[in-house]
Amino acid sequence: MTIGAAAFRMQEAGEPVIHMEYGQPSARPPEAVMDAARAMLDDGVKGYWESDELKSLIAGSYRELYGSTVAPENVILTCGASPALSLALMTAFDPGARIAMARPGYVAHRNVVTGLHMHPVELPCDAATGFQLTAAMLAGLDPAPDGVILASPANPTGSIIPRMEMEKIAEVCRERNIRIISDEIYIRLTYGEPAASISEFTGDAFIVNSFSKYYVMPGWRLGWVVVPEEHRERAVAYMSNFFLTPPSLSQEAGIASFRCTEELDALIGVYRRNRQMLLEKLPALGMTEMAPPDGAFYIYGRVDQFTDDSRDLCLELLKDTGVATASGVDFDPVEGHRFMRFSFAVTEAEVRDAIERITPWLTARG
């Protein structure tokens, strides 16, 4: 957030900035989504409302994409993935629960768990494990944690849990009574094998997702959580007391987005080309060790050949070149000072421009 704030100050001062620090698409939603929102504005936005049609569309997508059965009534609509994560944690666990998660990982996983008076159990992951936690890691924890947060594809690494490993994780969690929360916000953004959904292996997991990434609707604040049947009543009670409902305007737009998969899939082609440009150029500039960006829209790589403080490196890069990136310390408080993250959810022209700006800058640093 510090780097983002500095980037926007530079932009307001008239300096050209390329925003590769935030994990959000730069593309606008499809026109059909915009038309649906305009129509609702013209008709008068509804009050508190939960769209049964949208829940059914979401439930149907699990059957279509993953062959999984999800009941529409077990889909709870939320104001984005952040409340969905909080809702899942509050519903599944009590204060004091121990929740395992990969490190590096999305900063809010650790912070929301801590904020709810639970205890994060961070499992260090690196190239040896594909920057993902494994079934063996969970099997070896003594005592067993109460829960685990999975993220595949992951932020900041873009790494994916292989299908067979995901199945083994589900088996270990079933044997050891570990409740799974699966963050699947990037699941449809992959560049090789499709990512597996935990719904393919168990019906007892909480599944968090959002319209912010694949559906390019980050500012609309619309997401969902799939809850196990036994927890639905408690989850609904928490949702209605803490969050009420997501915006009715966003729900109407979300319904329209299900008619736009061809256009949304085309954006993955843009990300794929951006990813390839960075994978070709960054190693030549000295970033030779990177997490496998098999999904999402991030490249996470080592920069300790340039600095022992990636936050300072990111700030200097921004000041000198106008390219905003993210320091690894947000995602890994132990080893993150050695890493930085590029988001390639921008235009192809911006990626080319960013490469032209950072090439002489990094070259000059040796």
Side-chain angles (χ1 to χ4, degrees), residues 272-328:
R272 186 189 304 276
R273 292 187 290 274
N274 290 348
R275 168 184 176 272
Q276 190 59 35
M277 281 191 281
L278 289 169
L279 287 177
E280 289 173 358
K281 298 296 183 181
L282 290 177
L285 298 176
M287 191 181 291
T288 54
E289 184 179 329
M290 293 181 283
D294 297 323
F297 34 59
Y298 306 114
I299 287 182
Y300 188 74
R302 290 181 72 104
V303 290
D304 52 357
Q305 62 272 46
F306 302 115
T307 182
D308 59 1
D309 188 335
S310 61
R311 181 176 176 276
D312 282 350
L313 182 74
C314 291
L315 287 169
E316 290 176 24
L317 178 66
L318 172 63
K319 178 172 65 73
D320 294 341
T321 71
V323 178
T325 55
S327 167

Tab-separated table of all heavy atoms in Angstrom, residues 272-328:
chain	number	residue	atom	x	y	z
A	272	ARG	N	-1.443	-14.036	-20.907
A	272	ARG	CA	-0.470	-15.050	-21.332
A	272	ARG	C	0.698	-14.393	-22.070
A	272	ARG	O	1.871	-14.717	-21.838
A	272	ARG	CB	-1.152	-16.081	-22.228
A	272	ARG	CG	-0.263	-17.262	-22.623
A	272	ARG	CD	-0.957	-18.120	-23.678
A	272	ARG	NE	-2.253	-18.572	-23.223
A	272	ARG	CZ	-2.466	-19.644	-22.469
A	272	ARG	NH1	-1.426	-20.367	-22.084
A	272	ARG	NH2	-3.679	-19.990	-22.111
A	273	ARG	N	0.380	-13.453	-22.973
A	273	ARG	CA	1.438	-12.766	-23.728
A	273	ARG	C	2.281	-11.882	-22.809
A	273	ARG	O	3.510	-11.813	-22.955
A	273	ARG	CB	0.828	-11.966	-24.875
A	273	ARG	CG	0.223	-12.846	-25.973
A	273	ARG	CD	-0.213	-12.059	-27.174
A	273	ARG	NE	-1.378	-11.222	-26.926
A	273	ARG	CZ	-2.647	-11.647	-27.024
A	273	ARG	NH1	-2.903	-12.911	-27.343
A	273	ARG	NH2	-3.658	-10.823	-26.816
A	274	ASN	N	1.629	-11.193	-21.873
A	274	ASN	CA	2.377	-10.378	-20.907
A	274	ASN	C	3.322	-11.239	-20.078
A	274	ASN	O	4.474	-10.882	-19.837
A	274	ASN	CB	1.401	-9.646	-19.982
A	274	ASN	CG	0.630	-8.554	-20.694
A	274	ASN	OD1	0.959	-8.173	-21.816
A	274	ASN	ND2	-0.401	-8.042	-20.043
A	275	ARG	N	2.802	-12.366	-19.632
A	275	ARG	CA	3.603	-13.318	-18.845
A	275	ARG	C	4.818	-13.763	-19.627
A	275	ARG	O	5.940	-13.805	-19.090
A	275	ARG	CB	2.716	-14.503	-18.474
A	275	ARG	CG	3.403	-15.728	-17.894
A	275	ARG	CD	2.361	-16.812	-17.680
A	275	ARG	NE	2.912	-18.075	-17.216
A	275	ARG	CZ	3.365	-19.038	-18.007
A	275	ARG	NH1	3.331	-18.870	-19.328
A	275	ARG	NH2	3.842	-20.166	-17.495
A	276	GLN	N	4.616	-14.102	-20.896
A	276	GLN	CA	5.719	-14.596	-21.707
A	276	GLN	C	6.791	-13.529	-21.899
A	276	GLN	O	8.001	-13.828	-21.848
A	276	GLN	CB	5.204	-15.085	-23.066
A	276	GLN	CG	6.239	-15.828	-23.884
A	276	GLN	CD	6.777	-17.062	-23.172
A	276	GLN	OE1	6.057	-17.750	-22.457
A	276	GLN	NE2	8.072	-17.338	-23.351
A	277	MET	N	6.383	-12.282	-22.123
A	277	MET	CA	7.364	-11.200	-22.284
A	277	MET	C	8.240	-11.070	-21.044
A	277	MET	O	9.471	-10.938	-21.142
A	277	MET	CB	6.660	-9.881	-22.574
A	277	MET	CG	6.196	-9.713	-24.004
A	277	MET	SD	5.664	-8.008	-24.366
A	277	MET	CE	4.017	-8.000	-23.653
A	278	LEU	N	7.626	-11.126	-19.865
A	278	LEU	CA	8.389	-10.987	-18.630
A	278	LEU	C	9.278	-12.200	-18.382
A	278	LEU	O	10.426	-12.062	-17.933
A	278	LEU	CB	7.442	-10.773	-17.455
A	278	LEU	CG	6.741	-9.406	-17.430
A	278	LEU	CD1	5.624	-9.395	-16.390
A	278	LEU	CD2	7.730	-8.284	-17.150
A	279	LEU	N	8.774	-13.400	-18.684
A	279	LEU	CA	9.582	-14.605	-18.491
A	279	LEU	C	10.794	-14.619	-19.411
A	279	LEU	O	11.843	-15.199	-19.082
A	279	LEU	CB	8.728	-15.852	-18.724
A	279	LEU	CG	7.706	-16.190	-17.638
A	279	LEU	CD1	6.892	-17.409	-18.041
A	279	LEU	CD2	8.386	-16.431	-16.293
A	280	GLU	N	10.673	-13.985	-20.563
A	280	GLU	CA	11.796	-13.922	-21.492
A	280	GLU	C	12.820	-12.868	-21.078
A	280	GLU	O	14.026	-13.055	-21.273
A	280	GLU	CB	11.294	-13.623	-22.906
A	280	GLU	CG	10.541	-14.775	-23.553
A	280	GLU	CD	9.915	-14.392	-24.884
A	280	GLU	OE1	10.039	-13.207	-25.279
A	280	GLU	OE2	9.302	-15.257	-25.520
A	281	LYS	N	12.364	-11.760	-20.502
A	281	LYS	CA	13.256	-10.628	-20.243
A	281	LYS	C	13.859	-10.618	-18.838
A	281	LYS	O	15.021	-10.253	-18.657
A	281	LYS	CB	12.505	-9.315	-20.473
A	281	LYS	CG	12.022	-9.114	-21.893
A	281	LYS	CD	13.189	-9.008	-22.866
A	281	LYS	CE	12.700	-8.733	-24.282
A	281	LYS	NZ	13.827	-8.649	-25.250
A	282	LEU	N	13.072	-10.983	-17.811
A	282	LEU	CA	13.551	-10.820	-16.436
A	282	LEU	C	14.775	-11.669	-16.102
A	282	LEU	O	15.689	-11.186	-15.424
A	282	LEU	CB	12.412	-11.099	-15.454
A	282	LEU	CG	11.299	-10.050	-15.428
A	282	LEU	CD1	10.189	-10.473	-14.472
A	282	LEU	CD2	11.839	-8.678	-15.024
A	283	PRO	N	14.863	-12.932	-16.554
A	283	PRO	CA	16.077	-13.703	-16.240
A	283	PRO	C	17.348	-13.059	-16.792
A	283	PRO	O	18.396	-13.105	-16.150
A	283	PRO	CB	15.798	-15.063	-16.891
A	283	PRO	CG	14.316	-15.163	-16.922
A	283	PRO	CD	13.834	-13.772	-17.201
A	284	ALA	N	17.247	-12.457	-17.967
A	284	ALA	CA	18.417	-11.801	-18.554
A	284	ALA	C	18.848	-10.580	-17.749
A	284	ALA	O	20.007	-10.140	-17.829
A	284	ALA	CB	18.117	-11.388	-19.995
A	285	LEU	N	17.932	-10.046	-16.946
A	285	LEU	CA	18.241	-8.881	-16.120
A	285	LEU	C	18.703	-9.278	-14.726
A	285	LEU	O	18.968	-8.416	-13.895
A	285	LEU	CB	17.010	-7.972	-16.025
A	285	LEU	CG	16.513	-7.379	-17.343
A	285	LEU	CD1	15.238	-6.573	-17.122
A	285	LEU	CD2	17.590	-6.497	-17.955
A	286	GLY	N	18.768	-10.581	-14.449
A	286	GLY	CA	19.293	-11.031	-13.176
A	286	GLY	C	18.303	-11.726	-12.276
A	286	GLY	O	18.688	-12.277	-11.249
A	287	MET	N	17.002	-11.711	-12.639
A	287	MET	CA	16.007	-12.397	-11.811
A	287	MET	C	15.906	-13.836	-12.291
A	287	MET	O	15.013	-14.205	-13.057
A	287	MET	CB	14.652	-11.691	-11.879
A	287	MET	CG	13.657	-12.202	-10.848
A	287	MET	SD	12.028	-11.379	-10.937
A	287	MET	CE	12.458	-9.737	-10.370
A	288	THR	N	16.830	-14.654	-11.846
A	288	THR	CA	16.956	-16.010	-12.383
A	288	THR	C	16.151	-17.046	-11.614
A	288	THR	O	15.944	-18.150	-12.106
A	288	THR	CB	18.426	-16.438	-12.395
A	288	THR	OG1	18.966	-16.282	-11.074
A	288	THR	CG2	19.229	-15.589	-13.367
A	289	GLU	N	15.721	-16.727	-10.405
A	289	GLU	CA	14.912	-17.672	-9.629
A	289	GLU	C	13.519	-17.095	-9.432
A	289	GLU	O	13.347	-16.086	-8.754
A	289	GLU	CB	15.546	-17.966	-8.266
A	289	GLU	CG	14.768	-19.021	-7.477
A	289	GLU	CD	15.416	-19.335	-6.142
A	289	GLU	OE1	16.641	-19.245	-6.042
A	289	GLU	OE2	14.666	-19.664	-5.206
A	290	MET	N	12.521	-17.736	-10.048
A	290	MET	CA	11.149	-17.258	-9.960
A	290	MET	C	10.221	-18.406	-9.613
A	290	MET	O	10.474	-19.558	-9.984
A	290	MET	CB	10.717	-16.625	-11.290
A	290	MET	CG	11.447	-15.343	-11.641
A	290	MET	SD	10.897	-14.621	-13.208
A	290	MET	CE	11.730	-15.707	-14.374
A	291	ALA	N	9.145	-18.089	-8.893
A	291	ALA	CA	8.095	-19.077	-8.676
A	291	ALA	C	7.425	-19.394	-10.004
A	291	ALA	O	7.384	-18.541	-10.900
A	291	ALA	CB	7.067	-18.537	-7.685
A	292	PRO	N	6.907	-20.596	-10.175
A	292	PRO	CA	6.278	-20.946	-11.458
A	292	PRO	C	4.931	-20.240	-11.631
A	292	PRO	O	3.962	-20.586	-10.949
A	292	PRO	CB	6.094	-22.463	-11.352
A	292	PRO	CG	6.047	-22.742	-9.880
A	292	PRO	CD	6.930	-21.727	-9.228
A	293	PRO	N	4.849	-19.248	-12.522
A	293	PRO	CA	3.594	-18.496	-12.684
A	293	PRO	C	2.610	-19.252	-13.571
A	293	PRO	O	2.310	-18.844	-14.692
A	293	PRO	CB	4.059	-17.184	-13.320
A	293	PRO	CG	5.246	-17.580	-14.139
A	293	PRO	CD	5.905	-18.722	-13.399
A	294	ASP	N	2.117	-20.382	-13.078
A	294	ASP	CA	1.230	-21.234	-13.864
A	294	ASP	C	-0.199	-20.703	-13.897
A	294	ASP	O	-1.030	-21.185	-14.670
A	294	ASP	CB	1.232	-22.650	-13.296
A	294	ASP	CG	2.610	-23.291	-13.392
A	294	ASP	OD1	3.295	-23.046	-14.403
A	294	ASP	OD2	2.996	-24.025	-12.475
A	295	GLY	N	-0.494	-19.744	-13.029
A	295	GLY	CA	-1.826	-19.159	-12.986
A	295	GLY	C	-1.769	-17.770	-12.387
A	295	GLY	O	-0.701	-17.212	-12.153
A	296	ALA	N	-2.955	-17.186	-12.145
A	296	ALA	CA	-3.080	-15.805	-11.662
A	296	ALA	C	-2.412	-14.867	-12.669
A	296	ALA	O	-2.323	-15.175	-13.854
A	296	ALA	CB	-2.510	-15.659	-10.254
A	297	PHE	N	-1.912	-13.717	-12.218
A	297	PHE	CA	-1.196	-12.819	-13.131
A	297	PHE	C	-0.042	-12.130	-12.414
A	297	PHE	O	0.082	-10.907	-12.424
A	297	PHE	CB	-2.129	-11.795	-13.794
A	297	PHE	CG	-3.285	-11.306	-12.965
A	297	PHE	CD1	-3.091	-10.676	-11.749
A	297	PHE	CD2	-4.588	-11.461	-13.430
A	297	PHE	CE1	-4.157	-10.209	-11.002
A	297	PHE	CE2	-5.664	-11.002	-12.686
A	297	PHE	CZ	-5.450	-10.367	-11.480
A	298	TYR	N	0.819	-12.988	-11.818
A	298	TYR	CA	1.963	-12.489	-11.071
A	298	TYR	C	3.238	-13.236	-11.432
A	298	TYR	O	3.203	-14.423	-11.763
A	298	TYR	CB	1.745	-12.674	-9.561
A	298	TYR	CG	0.468	-12.076	-9.038
A	298	TYR	CD1	-0.541	-12.893	-8.532
A	298	TYR	CD2	0.264	-10.699	-9.044
A	298	TYR	CE1	-1.718	-12.362	-8.042
A	298	TYR	CE2	-0.911	-10.151	-8.565
A	298	TYR	CZ	-1.902	-10.987	-8.063
A	298	TYR	OH	-3.076	-10.453	-7.591
A	299	ILE	N	4.353	-12.512	-11.331
A	299	ILE	CA	5.675	-13.130	-11.328
A	299	ILE	C	6.359	-12.712	-10.036
A	299	ILE	O	6.450	-11.524	-9.716
A	299	ILE	CB	6.496	-12.723	-12.553
A	299	ILE	CG1	5.945	-13.444	-13.792
A	299	ILE	CG2	7.973	-13.037	-12.351
A	299	ILE	CD1	6.700	-13.162	-15.061
A	300	TYR	N	6.797	-13.702	-9.282
A	300	TYR	CA	7.413	-13.512	-7.972
A	300	TYR	C	8.817	-14.059	-8.038
A	300	TYR	O	9.009	-15.266	-8.259
A	300	TYR	CB	6.587	-14.256	-6.924
A	300	TYR	CG	6.968	-14.016	-5.482
A	300	TYR	CD1	6.654	-12.813	-4.852
A	300	TYR	CD2	7.601	-15.007	-4.735
A	300	TYR	CE1	6.968	-12.613	-3.511
A	300	TYR	CE2	7.912	-14.808	-3.396
A	300	TYR	CZ	7.595	-13.603	-2.785
A	300	TYR	OH	7.900	-13.405	-1.463
A	301	GLY	N	9.812	-13.178	-7.923
A	301	GLY	CA	11.178	-13.631	-8.105
A	301	GLY	C	12.152	-13.047	-7.110
A	301	GLY	O	11.885	-12.027	-6.459
A	302	ARG	N	13.303	-13.704	-6.997
A	302	ARG	CA	14.361	-13.274	-6.079
A	302	ARG	C	15.081	-12.049	-6.630
A	302	ARG	O	15.400	-11.985	-7.825
A	302	ARG	CB	15.370	-14.390	-5.862
A	302	ARG	CG	14.855	-15.561	-5.056
A	302	ARG	CD	15.947	-16.595	-4.875
A	302	ARG	NE	16.960	-16.116	-3.952
A	302	ARG	CZ	17.063	-16.527	-2.693
A	302	ARG	NH1	16.197	-17.401	-2.211
A	302	ARG	NH2	18.019	-16.079	-1.913
A	303	VAL	N	15.355	-11.113	-5.742
A	303	VAL	CA	16.094	-9.907	-6.130
A	303	VAL	C	17.253	-9.643	-5.171
A	303	VAL	O	17.786	-8.537	-5.118
A	303	VAL	CB	15.166	-8.667	-6.195
A	303	VAL	CG1	14.204	-8.774	-7.371
A	303	VAL	CG2	14.411	-8.473	-4.888
A	304	ASP	N	17.660	-10.656	-4.395
A	304	ASP	CA	18.729	-10.407	-3.433
A	304	ASP	C	20.092	-10.252	-4.109
A	304	ASP	O	21.074	-9.923	-3.451
A	304	ASP	CB	18.775	-11.476	-2.342
A	304	ASP	CG	18.825	-12.886	-2.876
A	304	ASP	OD1	18.763	-13.056	-4.113
A	304	ASP	OD2	18.923	-13.817	-2.062
A	305	GLN	N	20.166	-10.445	-5.434
A	305	GLN	CA	21.384	-10.107	-6.144
A	305	GLN	C	21.521	-8.595	-6.321
A	305	GLN	O	22.593	-8.089	-6.649
A	305	GLN	CB	21.430	-10.795	-7.520
A	305	GLN	CG	20.314	-10.381	-8.483
A	305	GLN	CD	19.064	-11.225	-8.332
A	305	GLN	OE1	18.615	-11.463	-7.219
A	305	GLN	NE2	18.507	-11.686	-9.428
A	306	PHE	N	20.405	-7.875	-6.102
A	306	PHE	CA	20.408	-6.418	-6.215
A	306	PHE	C	20.345	-5.715	-4.865
A	306	PHE	O	20.802	-4.579	-4.724
A	306	PHE	CB	19.206	-5.939	-7.045
A	306	PHE	CG	19.140	-6.508	-8.424
A	306	PHE	CD1	18.107	-7.348	-8.795
A	306	PHE	CD2	20.112	-6.214	-9.370
A	306	PHE	CE1	18.027	-7.880	-10.070
A	306	PHE	CE2	20.053	-6.739	-10.647
A	306	PHE	CZ	19.009	-7.580	-11.001
A	307	THR	N	19.732	-6.344	-3.856
A	307	THR	CA	19.444	-5.651	-2.608
A	307	THR	C	19.181	-6.653	-1.493
A	307	THR	O	18.879	-7.816	-1.765
A	307	THR	CB	18.202	-4.746	-2.772
A	307	THR	OG1	17.962	-4.029	-1.557
A	307	THR	CG2	16.965	-5.569	-3.100
A	308	ASP	N	19.297	-6.197	-0.261
A	308	ASP	CA	18.845	-7.010	0.871
A	308	ASP	C	17.566	-6.439	1.466
A	308	ASP	O	17.145	-6.831	2.545
A	308	ASP	CB	19.929	-7.109	1.948
A	308	ASP	CG	20.334	-5.741	2.496
A	308	ASP	OD1	19.760	-4.721	2.063
A	308	ASP	OD2	21.237	-5.695	3.356
A	309	ASP	N	16.918	-5.514	0.731
A	309	ASP	CA	15.659	-4.899	1.175
A	309	ASP	C	14.799	-4.623	-0.046
A	309	ASP	O	14.934	-3.586	-0.702
A	309	ASP	CB	15.930	-3.605	1.933
A	309	ASP	CG	14.673	-3.028	2.589
A	309	ASP	OD1	13.564	-3.314	2.106
A	309	ASP	OD2	14.812	-2.278	3.573
A	310	SER	N	13.926	-5.567	-0.382
A	310	SER	CA	13.145	-5.434	-1.609
A	310	SER	C	12.171	-4.266	-1.551
A	310	SER	O	11.802	-3.711	-2.593
A	310	SER	CB	12.386	-6.731	-1.895
A	310	SER	OG	11.473	-7.043	-0.849
A	311	ARG	N	11.763	-3.869	-0.349
A	311	ARG	CA	10.866	-2.715	-0.252
A	311	ARG	C	11.579	-1.455	-0.738
A	311	ARG	O	11.018	-0.667	-1.514
A	311	ARG	CB	10.366	-2.542	1.177
A	311	ARG	CG	9.400	-1.382	1.359
A	311	ARG	CD	8.883	-1.338	2.798
A	311	ARG	NE	8.027	-0.193	3.027
A	311	ARG	CZ	8.479	1.021	3.334
A	311	ARG	NH1	9.777	1.237	3.456
A	311	ARG	NH2	7.647	2.019	3.533
A	312	ASP	N	12.794	-1.254	-0.298
A	312	ASP	CA	13.564	-0.100	-0.763
A	312	ASP	C	13.813	-0.186	-2.262
A	312	ASP	O	13.769	0.836	-2.974
A	312	ASP	CB	14.896	-0.010	-0.026
A	312	ASP	CG	14.751	0.561	1.381
A	312	ASP	OD1	13.648	1.059	1.699
A	312	ASP	OD2	15.720	0.501	2.155
A	313	LEU	N	14.099	-1.392	-2.760
A	313	LEU	CA	14.318	-1.559	-4.193
A	313	LEU	C	13.081	-1.149	-4.980
A	313	LEU	O	13.182	-0.443	-5.999
A	313	LEU	CB	14.677	-3.010	-4.502
A	313	LEU	CG	14.988	-3.314	-5.974
A	313	LEU	CD1	16.354	-2.761	-6.348
A	313	LEU	CD2	14.940	-4.818	-6.239
A	314	CYS	N	11.896	-1.573	-4.519
A	314	CYS	CA	10.652	-1.225	-5.213
A	314	CYS	C	10.412	0.279	-5.200
A	314	CYS	O	9.972	0.860	-6.201
A	314	CYS	CB	9.477	-1.953	-4.571
A	314	CYS	SG	9.468	-3.741	-4.826
A	315	LEU	N	10.694	0.927	-4.082
A	315	LEU	CA	10.513	2.374	-3.985
A	315	LEU	C	11.488	3.119	-4.895
A	315	LEU	O	11.117	4.098	-5.554
A	315	LEU	CB	10.665	2.833	-2.536
A	315	LEU	CG	9.512	2.468	-1.603
A	315	LEU	CD1	9.895	2.725	-0.144
A	315	LEU	CD2	8.242	3.256	-1.950
A	316	GLU	N	12.727	2.654	-4.947
A	316	GLU	CA	13.708	3.282	-5.828
A	316	GLU	C	13.334	3.072	-7.298
A	316	GLU	O	13.462	3.979	-8.123
A	316	GLU	CB	15.094	2.706	-5.551
A	316	GLU	CG	15.695	3.112	-4.218
A	316	GLU	CD	17.020	2.426	-3.970
A	316	GLU	OE1	17.681	2.018	-4.953
A	316	GLU	OE2	17.408	2.280	-2.797
A	317	LEU	N	12.894	1.858	-7.627
A	317	LEU	CA	12.475	1.568	-8.998
A	317	LEU	C	11.330	2.481	-9.414
A	317	LEU	O	11.315	3.032	-10.521
A	317	LEU	CB	12.051	0.103	-9.103
A	317	LEU	CG	11.531	-0.367	-10.462
A	317	LEU	CD1	12.639	-0.323	-11.509
A	317	LEU	CD2	10.952	-1.775	-10.361
A	318	LEU	N	10.369	2.660	-8.517
A	318	LEU	CA	9.250	3.540	-8.804
A	318	LEU	C	9.727	4.977	-9.014
A	318	LEU	O	9.348	5.636	-9.994
A	318	LEU	CB	8.242	3.484	-7.657
A	318	LEU	CG	7.097	4.496	-7.709
A	318	LEU	CD1	6.225	4.275	-8.932
A	318	LEU	CD2	6.262	4.416	-6.427
A	319	LYS	N	10.560	5.466	-8.121
A	319	LYS	CA	11.019	6.855	-8.189
A	319	LYS	C	11.801	7.117	-9.469
A	319	LYS	O	11.636	8.156	-10.109
A	319	LYS	CB	11.881	7.167	-6.969
A	319	LYS	CG	12.476	8.575	-6.946
A	319	LYS	CD	13.148	8.861	-5.629
A	319	LYS	CE	14.359	7.966	-5.394
A	319	LYS	NZ	15.528	8.343	-6.259
A	320	ASP	N	12.639	6.156	-9.868
A	320	ASP	CA	13.533	6.383	-11.003
A	320	ASP	C	12.909	6.052	-12.348
A	320	ASP	O	13.308	6.639	-13.369
A	320	ASP	CB	14.806	5.545	-10.830
A	320	ASP	CG	15.650	5.992	-9.646
A	320	ASP	OD1	15.456	7.133	-9.185
A	320	ASP	OD2	16.491	5.194	-9.187
A	321	THR	N	11.958	5.097	-12.380
A	321	THR	CA	11.421	4.645	-13.671
A	321	THR	C	9.916	4.813	-13.813
A	321	THR	O	9.397	4.719	-14.927
A	321	THR	CB	11.751	3.157	-13.899
A	321	THR	OG1	10.955	2.351	-13.017
A	321	THR	CG2	13.231	2.870	-13.666
A	322	GLY	N	9.203	5.006	-12.709
A	322	GLY	CA	7.749	5.092	-12.781
A	322	GLY	C	7.065	3.741	-12.875
A	322	GLY	O	5.858	3.677	-13.124
A	323	VAL	N	7.813	2.649	-12.662
A	323	VAL	CA	7.221	1.308	-12.665
A	323	VAL	C	6.967	0.903	-11.215
A	323	VAL	O	7.901	0.788	-10.426
A	323	VAL	CB	8.135	0.278	-13.356
A	323	VAL	CG1	7.509	-1.114	-13.291
A	323	VAL	CG2	8.377	0.680	-14.809
A	324	ALA	N	5.691	0.700	-10.882
A	324	ALA	CA	5.309	0.332	-9.513
A	324	ALA	C	5.194	-1.181	-9.404
A	324	ALA	O	4.523	-1.820	-10.220
A	324	ALA	CB	3.987	0.995	-9.136
A	325	THR	N	5.869	-1.750	-8.407
A	325	THR	CA	5.840	-3.192	-8.162
A	325	THR	C	5.549	-3.427	-6.679
A	325	THR	O	5.378	-2.481	-5.918
A	325	THR	CB	7.186	-3.828	-8.544
A	325	THR	OG1	8.237	-3.148	-7.831
A	325	THR	CG2	7.439	-3.713	-10.044
A	326	ALA	N	5.508	-4.680	-6.263
A	326	ALA	CA	5.200	-5.010	-4.866
A	326	ALA	C	6.381	-5.734	-4.234
A	326	ALA	O	6.984	-6.622	-4.842
A	326	ALA	CB	3.952	-5.882	-4.782
A	327	SER	N	6.689	-5.345	-3.011
A	327	SER	CA	7.763	-5.998	-2.272
A	327	SER	C	7.285	-7.334	-1.714
A	327	SER	O	6.131	-7.481	-1.308
A	327	SER	CB	8.227	-5.097	-1.128
A	327	SER	OG	9.044	-5.812	-0.219
A	328	GLY	N	8.203	-8.285	-1.649
A	328	GLY	CA	7.857	-9.590	-1.112
A	328	GLY	C	7.565	-9.596	0.377
A	328	GLY	O	6.994	-10.565	0.895
